[in-house]
Each structure stands twice: as C-alpha cells, then as structure tokens.
C-alpha cells in the first residue's frame, strides 16, 4: 500500500477504535453488494482482521430486481470472497412481487428483507456477530437532506447512526471520493448498480442533482452535515433520556397518566409520546403525536394506523391493538404447527410463538415453566389460541380457586378496552394460559418430574 492507502486504513481503524465498534474476538458479517463501498469495506477489514483479532464473513442479498445484472453482482461477490478466502452467504428473493403483495415500496421492502437476511445469518449461522454496512459520509449527508425534505424531527436529522444494536458502520467518516481513490490505488474491481445511475429513485436525485450544487457552495458540505448531524444526535439522545424519566414518573397500570404527562415541557411531551409509540411498535410521526396529545387533553382516542388505537379513557393513555377488538380468531394449535411451524400468526401484526426454552439457566427455565409452560401431555387437538368468550373460566394455580375471566379481569383491573385483545390458550371453556397472567392450575408445571412442555409467548405489547 502507498501512503494514501495507509492513511485511509488508519482513518478507518481510528474511527473503529474511537467509537468502540469492534472488540477482540468479534465475528463481523459484511453486507456485500459488490459496489465500490462494500468492496472497500471488505478489503479494509480483511486487511485488519489479524491486528484487530476478528473473523470476517460476507453476505449478499439478491433483490431479484435487475435480472442478469443482479445475478452478475452475486457471482462477482462470491468470486471476490473466494479470492480473499472469506466465507460467503447469499440469498435471493423476488422483492418486487413481495413488495406488491404487502403494498410497500420496492426500496423499503428490499431494505427490510436485506436486514432480515443479515440478522438471520448472524443469529442462525454465526451465533453472535456484528453486521458491518458500507454507509459512508456522503450517504449520511443524503439521508439528512432526504429526512429534512420530509419534515423529520431530530432523530431523522441526526442521520445514519454509527452503530445500532449489532449493526456498525466503519466507513461513516469517509467520503465517496476517498473510497473510489482507495479502489483505484489498490486495483480493486467492483460492479455498478445501474439503478444508481438513474434519477428514478429519490436518493439518486439528491446524489446527482442536489449534492453537486451544495458542493459548489461548500466543497466540504458532507463534513459540515456530518458535524451538524452529530450534534443533533446528541440532543436527540438527551431528550430521549429525559423523556424516559418523565414516562417512568407517569406510569400507571396498563398505561400512563395523561395528567402527569401534560405537565411536561412541550418538547418532552412529544418525545414521551414518541417513545410510547416506539415501545408498542406502533407508527410514529408528527401528525399522530399531535393528535394523541390533543386526545390526552379531551379523554379521546386516535386511530394511529398500523392496527393501533391510542386511547385516553379515564385519563390514562394506552396504545391498543384494534384488530382483535373486531376480528375473532380461533387457531387449533396442533393443526397449525403441523403446517406452519411454531410461529403462529393470528392476525396481521400479531404473532404467538410456541417453542422450547433454550440456553437458559435452570432457575430461568423453572420460572418460565411455572408461568409460560404448558405440559405437552395435557394438550389435545381441541386446544386452541383465541380471545376470551362468555363462560370462560380460569383456575388459580396457587389457590385452586376457579373464576370467570370477567371476574378475574375485574379483580386485576385490566382496562375494558384491552380485554378482547389478550390472547388465551383454552380447551373448551377451560382456560389454560392467559397472556400477562400465565398458566392455570390445570396447566401448572410439575418441576419434580421430568416432562416436555410448550413454552408460550404472546405477541402483543400492551405498553
């Protein structure tokens, strides 16, 4: 390598160290598209793997959008990994068809599926690993501008995070020009996605039409945006932390006190509502946030989309899934698992999972079995997952007292608007398990005897 290349590698290494992106012994899965950015990321990290004591893997997701060109990219990535002696994972999907089926844009659907694939490789193939993507400084600038045009809050203007969960971005301090220079100086070949040359996609318009004009005004505009986004990220993180304290103070059973939240400063109130929506995996935007705050003042309710309603009844804010309040369901467990496996999809957005407890201590397994475990021996073909019905009864596993679900829910002070959203496992009118309450006396685990159990986990989050 010449001095320019050494300087580039040193810059990346310093950025990794300063932001603690990697630790000794890490497995790193590189999202490899075959473009210049990801090829450079692979080349740099592969050159540093011994010094950093890390293991490198690569994964390529073929979106099925560009026909032979996409297949060419996949072949290129595979050959490159063979040349560098890097283990290679790949997957192909018809993203346009899947996006059409779910009413999503091809860009959004492809992004979600790509990250799902990368996370699957980490979890199922590598055990524990970090995902390294090749986003760089110019990508960050384009993201900030795009979010600005949509009217984003601080989180959007903070740009692309340096790390999030197990995802890291070692090239975020580098520019596209530096990356292309590194390719030239190291004789690195790469493929070019023809869609990147078109202005059909929003980001490409920013890249080809807006950024050149901004560079005429300020050649270092990418670095200027990066500094600004870093400041805004700090502000966003601070406000999030403060609003979490306000949420904790306002927490009540099954929700949050509207009165206490409305005493917050306006910016903290908005952040608190945003955090509540995120916890419930509900859609988050400015319009819904404003409507929810107004509903808090009037004890109203807001349909926030995505199958959720923000209810402010009795002065308590709750995010309630609305699908189960009007759509009945009854899923025979055995028949469903035979066809679809252990992840039982009741309705759109609601999953119910039955799986064995794995990789847990004896204490944790015992605790799970006492509350979530149903003995396989007592389950029959008549055992179903459904919502409550008139006449349902539940027997307390500790005291042996049998009560109707109506009486049980009244005693537990479960809000009326939530009662029809709570999944139960039942056989006839005998309830074996209730989400948030646990198993009945009939389904109680016997920890003194060996036996097989189903571990049940409901898919609702009653924030």
């Amino acid at each position: 390598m010449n001095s320019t290349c050494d300087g580039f590698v040193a810059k990346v290494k310093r950025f990794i160290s300063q932001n603690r992106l990697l630790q000794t012994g890490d497995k790193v899965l590189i999202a490899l598209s075959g473009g210049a950015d990801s090829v450079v990321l692979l080349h740099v990290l592969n050159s540093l793997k011994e010094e950093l004591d890390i293991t490198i893997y690569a994964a390529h997701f073929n979106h099925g959008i560009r026909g032979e060109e996409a297949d060419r990219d996949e072949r290129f990535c595979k050959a490159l990994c063979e040349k560098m002696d890097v283990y290679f994972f790949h997957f192909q999907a018809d993203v346009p068809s899947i996006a059409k089926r779910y009413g999503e844009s091809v860009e959004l659907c492809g992004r979600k599926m790509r990250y799902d694939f990368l996370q699957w490789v980490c979890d199922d193939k590598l055990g524990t690993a970090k995902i390294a993507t090749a986003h760089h400084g110019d990508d960050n600038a384009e993201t900030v501008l795009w979010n600005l045009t949509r009217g984003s809050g601080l989180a959007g203007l903070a740009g692309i995070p340096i790390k999030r969960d197990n995802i890291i971005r070692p090239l975020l301090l580098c520019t596209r020009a530096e990356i292309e220079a590194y390719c030239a100086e190291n004789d690195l070949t790469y493929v070019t996605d023809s869609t990147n040359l078109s202005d059909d996609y929003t980001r490409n318009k920013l890249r080809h039409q807006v950024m050149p004009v901004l560079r005429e005004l300020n050649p270092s505009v990418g670095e200027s945006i990066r500094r600004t986004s870093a400041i805004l990220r700090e502000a966003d993180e601070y406000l999030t932390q403060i609003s979490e304290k306000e949420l904790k103070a306002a927490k009540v059973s099954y929700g949050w006190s509207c009165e206490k939240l409305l005493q917050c400063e306006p910016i903290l109130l908005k952040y608190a509502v945003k955090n509540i929506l995120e916890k419930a995996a509900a859609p988050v935007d400015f319009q819904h946030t404003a409507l929810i705050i107004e509903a808090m003042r009037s004890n109203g309710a807001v349909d926030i989309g995505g199958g959720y309603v923000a209810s402010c009844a009795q002065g308590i804010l709750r995010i309630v899934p609305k699908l189960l309040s009007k759509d009945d369901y009854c899923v025979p467990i055995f028949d469903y698992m035979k066809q679809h496996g252990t992840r039982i999809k009741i309705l759109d957005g609601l999953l119910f999972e039955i799986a064995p407890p794995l990789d847990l201590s004896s204490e944790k397994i015992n605790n799970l079995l006492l509350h979530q475990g149903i003995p396989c021996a007592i389950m029959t073909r008549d055992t179903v997952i459904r919502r409550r019905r008139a006449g349902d009864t539940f027997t307390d596993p500790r005291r042996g007292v049998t009560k109707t679900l109506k009486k049980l829910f009244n005693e537990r002070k479960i809000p009326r608007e939530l009662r029809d959203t709570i999944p139960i496992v039942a056989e006839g009118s005998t309830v074996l398990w209730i989400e948030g309450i646990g198993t009945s006396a009939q389904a109680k685990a016997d920890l003194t005897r060996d036996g097989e159990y189903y571990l049940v986990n409901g898919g609702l989050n009653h924030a």
Side-chain angles (χ1 to χ4, degrees):
M1 288 188 186
N2 60 33
S3 58
T4 303
C5 293
D6 289 342
F8 182 86
V9 173
K11 181 178 182 179
V12 174
K13 181 183 172 185
R14 187 166 56 252
F15 186 73
I16 290 173
S17 175
Q18 289 173 343
N19 293 282
R20 300 177 182 176
L21 301 185
L22 294 172
Q23 283 77 44
T24 298
D26 275 348
K27 297 175 184 176
V28 185
L29 180 66
I30 295 172
L32 184 64
S33 68
D37 311 336
S38 63
V39 167
V40 167
L41 178 62
L42 175 63
H43 190 269
V44 170
L45 289 186
N46 199 46
S47 70
L48 291 171
K49 64 182 180 183
E50 293 182 0
E51 183 179 351
L52 298 177
D53 190 17
I54 58 176
T55 306
I56 300 296
Y57 304 87
H60 177 82
F61 183 80
N62 185 335
H63 294 73
I65 296 175
R66 295 172 289 116
E68 169 54 28
E69 185 180 290
D71 296 337
R72 174 210 67 184
D73 294 354
E74 184 175 331
R75 291 193 299 270
F76 171 84
C77 291
K78 181 179 180 181
L80 179 63
C81 288
E82 288 176 350
K83 180 180 178 181
M84 293 188 180
D85 194 26
V86 172
Y87 196 92
F88 178 68
F89 299 93
H90 61 97
F91 184 78
Q92 183 173 353
D94 186 355
V95 172
S97 296
I98 296 170
K100 184 177 180 181
R101 186 188 315 160
Y102 290 98
E104 293 181 328
S105 71
V106 173
E107 287 177 279
L108 176 61
C109 181
R111 181 181 182 278
K112 288 165 58 178
M113 291 191 68
R114 181 171 67 253
Y115 277 102
D116 284 347
F117 163 62
L118 293 169
Q119 197 60 59
W120 174 81
V121 172
C122 286
D123 295 342
D124 284 35
K125 298 299 181 181
L126 302 180
T128 301
K130 291 179 177 176
I131 298 169
T133 70
H135 293 94
H136 49 72
D138 291 42
D139 290 326
N140 181 66
E142 292 159 10
T143 297
V144 171
L145 291 174
W146 168 229
N147 288 335
L148 181 62
T149 63
R150 297 188 302 162
S152 173
L154 288 182
L157 299 181
I160 301 173
I162 297 171
K163 55 185 175 181
R164 186 185 71 247
D165 300 326
N166 67 326
I167 300 172
I168 61 173
R169 298 183 170 94
L171 300 185
L172 208 53
L173 197 62
C174 306
T175 66
R176 183 175 288 113
E178 289 175 321
I179 288 168
E180 291 174 352
Y182 184 90
C183 285
E185 291 161 2
N186 287 276
D187 295 322
L188 296 178
T189 58
Y190 54 88
V191 294
T192 301
D193 182 342
S194 61
T195 60
N196 287 337
L197 303 177
S198 167
D199 285 343
D200 292 342
Y201 294 94
T202 304
R203 185 177 293 276
N204 290 346
K205 290 182 178 179
L206 288 171
R207 181 176 304 166
H208 300 143
Q209 299 179 24
V210 177
M211 288 300 292
V213 174
L214 293 179
R215 286 196 184 93
E216 289 181 7
L217 299 173
N218 177 9
S220 301
V221 64
E223 173 60 18
S224 297
I225 292 176
R226 187 196 67 78
R227 289 197 303 268
T228 301
S229 65
I231 294 170
L232 294 177
R233 185 177 301 113
E234 290 180 354
D236 180 64
E237 291 172 353
Y238 175 74
L239 290 170
T240 298
Q241 291 174 5
I242 299 300
S243 66
E244 284 289 351
K245 294 180 181 179
E246 299 290 354
L247 280 179
K248 187 176 181 180
K251 191 72 178 75
V252 295
S253 297
Y254 297 98
W256 291 266
S257 165
C258 294
E259 181 182 0
K260 288 186 178 180
L261 287 178
L262 289 171
Q263 292 173 1
C264 296
E265 292 293 331
I267 184 64
L268 291 179
L269 175 58
K270 292 173 184 175
Y271 263 78
V273 172
K274 170 178 170 286
N275 293 347
I276 289 172
L277 293 173
E278 288 176 346
K279 289 177 189 297
V284 181
D285 61 40
F286 281 121
Q287 181 181 7
H288 287 136
T289 300
L291 289 173
I292 291 171
I293 292 172
E294 184 58 36
M296 291 167 63
R297 295 189 173 101
S298 60
N299 279 334
V302 180
D303 184 339
I304 57 177
Y308 289 90
V309 172
S311 168
C312 301
Q314 292 85 48
I316 299 175
L317 170 61
R318 305 181 183 96
I319 307 300
V320 183
K322 68 176 182 178
L323 288 171
L324 301 187
S325 63
K326 62 179 182 179
D327 295 328
D328 200 3
Y329 63 93
C330 183
V331 182
I333 293 175
F334 279 167
D335 291 344
Y336 192 101
M337 287 197 298
K338 183 182 292 185
Q339 296 182 42
H340 304 286
T342 61
R343 291 177 67 83
I344 298 179
K345 190 170 185 179
I346 300 173
L347 293 167
D348 287 342
L350 174 61
L351 282 174
F352 184 97
E353 188 167 16
I354 298 185
L358 301 173
D359 298 324
L360 297 173
S361 67
S362 296
E363 181 182 352
K364 287 185 178 179
I365 290 176
N366 289 346
N367 187 52
L368 282 169
L369 291 182
L370 286 171
H371 296 92
Q372 304 292 102
I374 300 179
C376 294
I378 74 165
M379 295 183 73
T380 72
R381 291 192 175 278
D382 295 323
T383 307
V384 299
I385 302 168
R386 59 173 174 81
R387 69 177 184 175
R388 66 171 182 157
R389 294 177 181 172
D392 283 343
T393 59
F394 180 83
T395 304
D396 189 297
R398 291 162 296 183
R399 295 182 293 168
V401 178
T402 300
K403 301 176 182 178
T404 64
L405 253 58
K406 181 178 181 180
K407 185 174 182 180
L408 178 67
F409 287 173
N410 282 337
E411 291 177 352
R412 297 280 182 126
K413 294 182 171 55
I414 296 175
R416 294 184 183 278
E417 60 266 35
L418 292 181
R419 296 181 185 186
D420 282 334
T421 74
I422 298 175
I424 67 171
V425 174
E427 187 163 331
S429 60
T430 301
V431 176
L432 303 177
W433 174 88
I434 306 173
E435 183 185 30
I437 294 177
T439 51
S440 67
Q442 294 89 335
K444 184 178 179 180
D446 184 353
L447 301 181
T448 65
R449 301 175 58 185
D450 291 336
E452 294 184 340
Y453 292 81
Y454 289 111
L455 180 67
V456 289
N457 295 287
L460 284 177
N461 180 357
H462 296 298

